[in-house]
Amino acid sequence: MTLLHPSARLPVRRFGAPLLSPSSRAPSAPSFSLIRSSLPFPPEKARFHRELEAAVDVVERACRLCVDVKKSLLSSDGRILEKNDRTPVTVADFGVQALISLELKSLFPSIPLVAEEDSGFLRSNSVHAQRGEVHGANFLVDSVLSAVAEKTSSVDEPLTSDDVLEAIDRGGKDAVSFDAEPSAYWVLDPIDGTRGFLKGSDALYVVGLALVVKGEIAIGVMGCPNWKEYNLSTKKSDDKIGVSTPGIIMIAHSGCGTWTRRFSDVMGNYKRIQDGWRRCFVDSCWLVNEASFCIPDSQTWDLIPLSVLFSSSVDCGDIRDKQKVLLLPTCCGSLCKYLMVASGRASVFILRARAQTVIKVWDHAVGVVCVHEAGGKVTDWNGSPLDLAADQVDRRIIFPSGGVLVTNGALHKQLLEIISSNSSIA
């Protein structure tokens, strides 16, 4: 019997069972063994097979929503919003959270959701619009409703604006208070890399969803609608060669590995891709000077302790000595960097935790399980695992000491030693 069967009506805090212990990975396994299935492993080998199937389906539909909204965004400035912290937010951001919240509540009503957004901005602007103080605010709510209605599964009655706003708030702050050891909850980042979403077709962004069970990340799904092979190149745009990949979906299940498959070549139709699932692993680099690095878009290399020993370059042709490392030009948000490491396209993602910066759980949870199951490692700068329970009541914030270090595993100990030896810069 599947633990999280959709028909289950158990109270949230009575839910749960120990996770399967991670299985060892055979080093001789092929990097891209091909399997044709809804998931790349059978239900009897994956305790949360049904939950992962549902997560893959809803994340893929959420990516379709993003693509459709982005097309309309190009000719409609009214689709661009800004939150109080000046981070751009789109109809897609609210729409993805509403869609995933609605679908998960329908399938797994006993499991709460922790997500980035709440409807406060939309509700307040709607009130102002009714008073004639803000032009077009009702249009924004209607736009979210329209985007969600087109992608949601069948419902008994047509969706209303209230349905969508309530769905958004189901994952918002104060929506649920957790016990010291909550049984299970979903963690959602509706769009990680919102600035990238707004930049254009070449900029990466990710829809990320994870399920946490008994304090462990059990499954994860990341959808990157515009993943392209040449995004990973350090060459100039006029040197890019090859056919771009029209997006990928990455999944991970505790003990079952990390896998990817491509979206359809025709994004609008999203036909079931025929290539199937491919197992992916982190890269095998074990020398720091030969590793490829990712850092946050808001940080510079000189803020990273490794800068004491190594300079950096974004040009692979400029890496000529053992004191310079390659810095990959990725895009906004943290999850695409996790995706890079888990897929073997980058060796390291390193983030410095600043005193004024709040690190949110949804920026890391799904990435952690994907990297772990691909053979990598994720810790804080002291070498401790990220503590998802540090925010005991809301489960929304993590407090990694020094910062976050994501590696292929082989480099982890070396990098921790360098960080420790040069901690004065941190």
Side-chain angles (χ1 to χ4, degrees):
M1 183 177 78
T2 303
L3 181 60
L4 301 183
H5 194 281
S7 63
R9 304 293 187 197
L10 298 177
V12 171
R13 294 181 179 88
R14 293 182 56 194
F15 166 84
L19 288 174
L20 297 173
S21 58
S23 61
S24 60
R25 302 177 191 84
S28 59
S31 297
F32 291 102
S33 53
L34 186 61
I35 294 179
R36 300 177 187 274
S37 174
S38 60
L39 289 183
F41 34 80
E44 57 268 22
K45 291 188 177 181
R47 183 183 295 272
F48 305 103
H49 192 275
R50 189 177 187 110
E51 295 69 46
L52 185 55
E53 279 189 320
V56 169
D57 175 68
V58 72
V59 167
E60 194 161 355
R61 276 189 281 146
C63 289
R64 271 180 272 169
L65 184 154
C66 290
V67 172
D68 291 346
V69 170
K70 190 166 185 176
K71 287 179 180 177
S72 65
L73 179 68
L74 298 177
S75 59
S76 176
D77 292 339
R79 296 294 181 96
I80 303 175
L81 313 179
E82 288 190 356
K83 290 186 292 190
N84 290 334
D85 63 358
R86 309 302 291 175
T87 301
V89 170
T90 65
V91 169
D93 216 1
F94 290 111
V96 166
Q97 182 157 323
L99 173 65
I100 292 179
S101 175
L102 285 166
E103 298 299 312
L104 293 181
K105 182 179 180 182
S106 174
L107 292 170
F108 312 108
S110 66
I111 307 177
L113 173 68
V114 173
E116 181 176 11
E117 307 297 346
D118 62 50
S119 70
F121 182 91
L122 293 175
R123 290 181 188 273
S124 63
N125 277 265
S126 181
V127 170
H128 292 314
Q130 293 172 9
R131 297 173 180 170
E133 299 171 10
V134 177
H135 176 69
N138 278 332
F139 166 76
L140 295 173
V141 176
D142 292 341
S143 296
V144 175
L145 172 60
S146 176
V148 174
E150 291 176 0
K151 299 298 184 291
T152 190
S153 60
S154 58
V155 293
D156 296 334
E157 298 179 358
L159 283 177
T160 66
S161 296
D162 286 341
D163 293 331
V164 169
L165 294 173
E166 289 173 7
I168 294 171
D169 284 336
R170 195 173 82 88
K173 184 174 174 58
D174 302 324
V176 62
S177 294
F178 290 95
D179 287 340
E181 297 182 1
S183 295
Y185 56 96
W186 298 99
V187 177
L188 169 67
D189 193 340
I191 297 182
D192 184 72
T194 316
R195 292 184 182 90
F197 178 86
L198 297 173
K199 280 183 177 179
S201 59
D202 289 342
L204 300 181
Y205 62 96
V206 172
V207 177
L209 179 65
L211 177 66
V212 180
V213 181
K214 294 294 186 181
E216 301 290 335
I217 308 170
I219 64 173
V221 179
M222 287 193 282
C224 184
N226 58 346
W227 175 272
K228 298 178 181 179
E229 292 300 331
Y230 64 69
N231 275 107
L232 310 179
S233 172
T234 57
K235 298 181 181 181
K236 296 180 181 179
S237 59
D238 55 359
D239 294 330
K240 292 170 184 173
I241 300 173
V243 179
S244 63
T245 302
I248 63 169
I249 194 158
M250 174 177 281
I251 67 169
H253 185 296
S254 178
C256 297
T258 298
W259 302 74
T260 61
R261 68 167 169 80
R262 292 183 296 161
F263 288 152
S264 165
D265 288 336
V266 183
M267 288 293 293
N269 293 334
Y270 265 72
K271 297 176 182 177
R272 176 65 67 182
I273 192 69
Q274 296 300 311
D275 285 359
W277 292 99
R278 297 174 184 269
R279 183 79 180 264
C280 57
F281 298 93
V282 295
D283 73 14
S284 57
C285 180
W286 57 278
L287 294 175
V288 176
N289 63 290
E290 295 182 1
S292 52
F293 286 78
C294 298
I295 62 174
D297 310 277
S298 60
Q299 298 183 12
T300 55
W301 183 251
D302 62 290
L303 295 175
I304 306 299
L306 277 68
S307 63
V308 173
L309 299 179
F310 301 93
S311 59
S312 67
S313 174
V314 297
D315 184 357
C316 60
D318 191 36
I319 308 300
R320 303 173 184 224
D321 57 57
K322 295 184 178 181
Q323 264 56 59
K324 184 172 287 189
V325 299
L326 179 63
L327 200 57
L328 293 178
T330 55
C331 195
C332 307
S334 296
L335 293 184
C336 69
K337 277 93 165 176
Y338 277 98
L339 197 155
M340 297 272 285
V341 175
S343 63
R345 300 295 185 177
S347 310
V348 180
F349 167 40
I350 183 167
L351 174 151
R352 176 184 175 184
R354 294 178 172 179
Q356 300 83 5
T357 303
V358 177
I359 300 180
K360 303 297 179 63
V361 66
W362 47 78
D363 289 328
H364 298 271
V366 64
V368 170
V369 68
C370 287
V371 168
H372 280 170
E373 288 298 315
K377 192 168 184 177
V378 182
T379 69
D380 65 16
W381 285 11
N382 285 334
S384 301
L386 303 188
D387 183 6
L388 301 186
D391 180 6
Q392 295 186 3
V393 176
D394 297 322
R395 293 299 197 273
R396 301 177 71 82
I397 303 172
I398 57 175
F399 304 94
S401 178
V404 178
L405 179 63
V406 182
T407 76
N408 61 3
L411 291 164
H412 210 86
K413 183 177 179 181
Q414 299 176 61
L415 295 178
L416 285 175
E417 290 174 352
I418 294 173
I419 290 172
S420 176
S421 299
N422 299 279
S423 58
S424 61
I425 194 173

